[in-house]
Amino acid sequence: MREEIFRFPLDGTPVRCERIKTGHINETYLVTTDASVRYILQNVNTYAFPRTDIIMDNVSAISRYLQTRPGAPAMIRYLDTTDGRRYYDDGRGGAWRLYRFVENSICLDRAETPADFYECARAFGNFQHALIDFPAEKLGETIPDFHNTPVRYARFREAMAADTLGRLEAVREETAFVLAREERASRLQRMREAGQLPVRVTHNDTKINNVLFDADTRRAICVIDLDTVMPGLAAYDFGDAIRYGASTAADDERDLDRVRLDLNLFRVFTRGYLEACPALTEKEIASLPLGAYTMTLECGMRFLTDHLMGDKYFAIDYPEQNLDRAHTQFKLLSDMEEMWDEMEKIVAEEAKKNA
Ligand code: GN1
Ligand code: MG
């Protein structure tokens, strides 16, 4: 049993504690009590998230706001510790928080059918739409410059220059791939800075495994993993979901022939997202394919950066996993370059249906 669990008021006495291994960052446990109540206990990785206080402030601000909105999507609610704090600071750099497990819910690592992916799109679209009038500037940045691709490029260059593990020589082809795409991958941030795209409350980590589904109906219940909820662009949320979910293979697949962009899944997601988010501006809608492009390149670059830095950020199961992950992203990106016109066409067609 993890002793941190005893810092929270529980219904019953904890009898079981299992580690759940999804996600590359935080450590998550499913705890069951003798009253058959289940909880999710999570240790926030403070290397990735040095400011747990900002995360918890953001989450409580939006959950309070959503409670006042009729028809707003469901939200997970963190329980305070027995001494009334929003999370338990273990004094060793660990921050722990707890919420009640949503019964009869399942988490999918991949969409098993296009309908699953459509539900995923609706869930993230609803989340964003419900917060469309929430003043985004009231939220703190839980990870500054999280999707600021030019800043990510700067850090990538630093990692290349430092080359602390001597891994650079072996990945010259990959680094050249990234550097050759800097201009295009930086466009979204330029548009944000120029005020051409509205800053919204976004989730910023919109993988399908950050959605809970009802085990019986397969409808989305709510989005989880709210650590990166902060001001952002709709294109980030759209794009990150496509990056992960419209790929035909896992993000560490080593057989790159199996990694393809599935245009049908791309369309299904676009449809669900636009239906749930009817208030997006024309420019925002037009920026969605660029969101997919940017999030894919950025994520690949982050995996490669971490590979160069010695795998400090993303948890790995074997030594070259972050490099494998980078390869899948670059393969997917090459597909996007090839299928660019179709991606734009699909977004335009789905937007028209929705107009
Ligand atoms: C991380 O922890 P997880 O798997 O939900 C990362 C995302 C990446 C993703 C890549 C806070 O999310 O940005 O896209 O891995 N989250 C953070 O799979 O960095
Ligand atoms: Mg997650």
Side-chain angles (χ1 to χ4, degrees):
M1 190 58 55
R2 300 235 39 133
E3 59 93 15
E4 295 83 2
I5 188 76
F6 298 104
R7 304 295 172 155
F8 294 89
L10 302 174
D11 202 343
T13 304
V15 287
R16 216 168 53 233
C17 178
E18 303 151 60
R19 175 102 192 250
I20 301 181
K21 278 207 101 189
T22 56
H24 300 337
I25 311 286
N26 294 329
E27 220 178 284
T28 307
Y29 300 88
L30 177 64
V31 177
T32 310
T33 72
D34 60 0
S36 295
V37 178
R38 300 200 281 176
Y39 295 93
I40 295 289
L41 174 71
Q42 202 173 41
N43 179 219
V44 183
N45 174 334
T46 45
Y47 179 79
F49 293 106
R51 296 293 305 268
T52 317
D53 55 328
I54 298 182
I55 296 177
M56 300 311 270
D57 285 348
N58 284 356
V59 174
S60 81
I62 61 170
S63 75
R64 262 183 282 124
Y65 176 85
L66 290 178
Q67 276 166 39
T68 67
R69 310 267 305 178
M75 272 265 298
I76 51 164
R77 226 169 289 154
Y78 290 108
L79 272 68
D80 285 350
T81 61
T82 38
D83 58 359
R85 292 169 210 271
R86 282 206 277 254
Y87 60 93
Y88 166 57
D89 181 341
D90 66 13
R92 285 172 278 121
W96 296 80
R97 73 264 166 107
L98 185 89
Y99 62 89
R100 237 179 130 125
F101 179 77
V102 180
E103 289 303 333
N104 207 40
S105 70
I106 51 170
C107 182
L108 303 174
D109 254 317
R110 314 206 49 79
E112 283 161 22
T113 63
D116 290 340
F117 202 39
Y118 175 80
E119 280 298 310
C120 166
R122 301 274 306 183
F124 285 116
N126 283 335
F127 176 80
Q128 196 187 107
H129 190 68
L131 291 161
I132 208 139
D133 293 325
F134 184 96
E137 69 282 358
K138 286 212 171 135
L139 298 181
E141 280 201 283
T142 61
I143 300 181
D145 297 312
F146 190 57
H147 285 316
N148 185 335
T149 314
V151 168
R152 295 281 184 190
Y153 265 97
R155 293 193 195 138
F156 174 62
R157 286 203 168 82
E158 280 167 27
M160 282 178 71
D163 189 23
T164 35
L165 280 98
R167 288 178 165 177
L168 181 62
E169 210 38 58
V171 296
R172 286 287 182 197
E173 211 180 303
E174 291 84 346
T175 55
F177 182 96
V178 170
L179 293 173
R181 284 159 178 80
E182 184 164 10
E183 191 281 325
R184 190 170 177 187
S186 302
R187 268 183 223 164
L188 204 53
Q189 180 64 24
R190 300 257 155 69
M191 289 164 82
R192 176 173 173 170
E193 284 162 8
Q196 293 167 359
L197 297 169
V199 173
R200 311 254 187 218
V201 178
T202 48
H203 182 284
N204 297 305
D205 187 5
T206 50
K207 298 188 294 187
I208 191 169
N209 63 16
N210 284 332
V211 175
L212 293 184
F213 288 77
D214 184 296
D216 301 320
T217 65
R218 283 295 263 225
R219 299 292 302 267
I221 304 172
C222 62
V223 305
I224 54 170
D225 198 349
L226 305 171
D227 303 335
T228 50
V229 171
M230 57 184 144
L233 302 179
Y236 300 159
D237 278 6
F238 176 88
D240 196 55
I242 295 297
R243 169 192 83 71
Y244 188 82
S247 166
T248 53
D251 75 355
D252 57 357
E253 173 62 57
R254 302 183 80 164
D255 177 359
L256 292 179
D257 288 339
R258 296 172 68 171
V259 183
R260 307 279 312 171
L261 175 71
D262 182 327
L263 278 179
N264 181 47
L265 289 177
F266 181 85
R267 182 185 290 279
V268 163
F269 191 91
T270 305
R271 181 173 306 155
Y273 194 71
L274 292 179
E275 282 172 7
C277 258
L280 298 187
T281 67
E282 235 170 83
K283 272 217 170 109
E284 245 177 331
I285 295 173
S287 76
L288 297 180
L290 187 59
Y293 184 93
T294 310
M295 292 299 100
T296 306
L297 191 270
E298 182 186 279
C299 194
M301 172 166 64
R302 290 174 63 198
F303 289 142
L304 188 55
T305 303
D306 203 35
H307 175 72
L308 289 172
M309 290 177 62
D311 311 299
K312 292 194 163 68
Y313 190 95
F314 297 107
I316 50 167
D317 297 320
Y318 59 89
E320 303 254 292
Q321 194 173 11
N322 276 320
L323 184 58
D324 288 342
R325 289 174 179 149
H327 288 153
T328 63
Q329 303 306 296
F330 301 154
K331 172 66 197 315
L332 205 56
L333 197 80
S334 303
D335 264 21
M336 289 181 187
E337 289 174 352
E338 254 173 55
M339 299 184 199
W340 186 254
D341 293 348
E342 280 144 285
M343 287 166 65
E344 288 202 313
K345 189 164 156 255
I346 289 170
V347 169
E349 282 170 3
E350 293 301 326
K352 207 165 157 201
K353 277 190 206 159
N354 226 37

